[in-house]
Amino acid sequence: MVQALKELVERLPQALDQAAAVLDLLATRDVVMMDTGEDTTGFMAEAAAQLRSSATNSEHLAKELAGPASAMFRMGGR
């Protein structure tokens, strides 16, 4: 189970970076609007920055899961 979680977490940085890139692209095309009518530029930039920060944090988590995943990979029941 931990190995599967580790593999999922290892894929998160790329997915989060890709989501941030999509926000950046959409911001240049003026195709997104806020339900409040506010300008989206700041909101989209902040969301993209938070996604990139989350990508960095998930890289750290993946490294931390490597040890327990490796140890548990060799375990089994009797």
Side-chain angles (χ1 to χ4, degrees):
M1 177 174 85
V2 174
Q3 182 66 29
L5 288 172
K6 179 184 153 287
E7 290 173 12
L8 176 66
V9 171
E10 286 174 335
R11 293 183 178 127
L12 277 176
Q14 181 179 359
L16 293 169
D17 282 335
Q18 288 172 345
V22 168
L23 282 179
D24 291 339
L25 178 64
L26 292 174
T28 65
R29 297 194 177 174
D30 194 30
V31 294
V32 177
M33 57 185 254
M34 300 293 291
D35 59 359
T36 60
E38 296 174 81
D39 180 36
T40 61
T41 306
F43 292 107
M44 294 179 78
E46 179 64 24
Q50 290 174 349
L51 286 167
R52 288 187 175 98
S53 175
S54 295
T56 301
N57 292 338
S58 65
E59 287 174 358
H60 181 70
L61 177 58
K63 289 176 185 174
E64 288 187 2
L65 285 174
S70 178
M72 293 178 72
F73 185 74
R74 298 185 311 251
M75 294 178 188
R78 294 182 198 220

